[in-house]
Amino acid sequence: FYDFLNDSGANFTHRSKTLTLDDIYVAPFMEQFSLSDDEEKGSSFKSEEILKRIINKEVTHTIILGEENSGKTSFCKKIYKSTLSLNNTVPVFIKGRDIKKVTEEDITKLINKEFRKQYKIDVDLTTKDLVIIIDDFNNCKLPQKSKKNFIFNLYKNNFQTVITWDEYFTLGELLESQVTTVDVYEIL
């Protein structure tokens, strides 16, 4: 998993040294959206500012939109590595395609499974501040209604969440009543 976190997504070298994500990462600009009126808020932020808000727990639920290869996964890796160093905070990375069930119990099982894969240990996660990072939620094969239930059940827990996907037009449908509690940004 450590290799995945450092993988730049391309095979770059410099003077025969393989470059990692940290070597080449350039923080993209993002624009904030308002879900309640389906409009851009007009505010443009460097992703480092959004990362700070996540690290400082100023936001509970964040959604990052962007086209394929726009930097969503790289941003998720930066969030993971940045929150990993915080006291009692445990990031857990989940790929959208790995989401198969939607109940609270199923979500807890998925988080525990991914935690064991990433950390190679068992810990009582109820004693930790979890940051659940779901990358490419659009790759989840569940029907729309099940995706809505998944998000509803995920948000019921006391987790900080970051979700990426590429479909703005389905966002309002999926979130419905949670629109006021979610910060939404699009990678420019």
Side-chain angles (χ1 to χ4, degrees):
F1 190 75
Y2 179 78
D3 290 340
F4 166 74
L5 288 177
N6 290 307
D7 183 13
S8 66
N11 197 13
F12 294 119
T13 58
H14 177 68
R15 297 187 182 156
S16 72
K17 176 191 176 246
T18 300
L19 299 177
T20 66
L21 179 62
D22 288 336
D23 294 328
I24 64 166
Y25 186 77
V26 176
F29 280 93
M30 297 187 188
E31 188 161 36
Q32 189 168 19
F33 279 84
S34 168
L35 289 176
S36 55
D37 56 14
D38 280 343
E39 288 187 20
E40 300 170 3
K41 285 190 175 177
S43 303
S44 183
F45 297 91
K46 198 151 190 177
S47 62
E48 291 162 330
E49 294 173 42
I50 298 162
L51 180 61
K52 273 187 204 158
R53 294 188 72 207
I54 293 168
I55 290 169
N56 294 333
K57 299 182 186 334
E58 294 171 25
V59 294
T60 305
H61 305 298
T62 305
I63 291 176
I64 306 295
L65 303 169
E67 296 177 14
E68 193 171 332
N69 295 318
S70 62
K72 298 183 304 289
T73 300
S74 294
F75 187 61
C76 286
K77 291 175 183 181
K78 297 299 273 184
I79 294 167
Y80 189 102
K81 290 169 82 172
S82 297
T83 55
L84 189 59
S85 62
L86 299 175
N87 189 27
N88 206 42
T89 300
V90 178
V92 179
F93 190 97
I94 299 171
K95 293 180 180 171
R97 69 173 182 246
D98 294 335
I99 298 169
K100 311 250 190 281
K101 297 181 180 178
V102 302
T103 68
E104 285 183 76
E105 183 181 326
D106 293 325
I107 292 170
T108 300
K109 285 179 184 176
L110 176 62
I111 290 168
N112 284 318
K113 176 183 151 204
E114 294 301 322
F115 175 85
R116 282 189 301 277
K117 281 185 356 190
Q118 293 164 32
Y119 295 91
K120 309 284 188 233
I121 58 172
D122 270 324
V123 172
D124 179 7
L125 294 178
T126 60
T127 64
K128 303 290 183 189
D129 291 332
L130 295 179
V131 179
I132 306 302
I133 302 166
I134 299 175
D135 189 31
D136 289 328
F137 188 65
N138 49 290
N139 290 339
C140 173
K141 300 296 184 210
L142 293 172
Q144 194 75 352
K145 185 172 175 25
S146 296
K147 285 180 182 178
K148 185 190 291 187
N149 287 337
F150 175 84
I151 288 175
F152 179 76
N153 287 330
L154 178 69
Y155 285 3
K156 270 199 227 174
N157 291 290
N158 203 15
F159 308 141
Q160 190 175 10
T161 64
V162 177
I163 300 174
T164 71
W165 76 68
D166 62 3
E167 301 175 39
Y168 180 76
F169 64 91
T170 60
L171 198 53
E173 289 173 39
L174 286 175
L175 296 175
E176 281 184 356
S177 62
Q178 288 104 337
V179 295
T180 58
T181 63
V182 179
D183 282 10
V184 180
Y185 301 91
E186 181 175 26
I187 295 177
L188 300 176

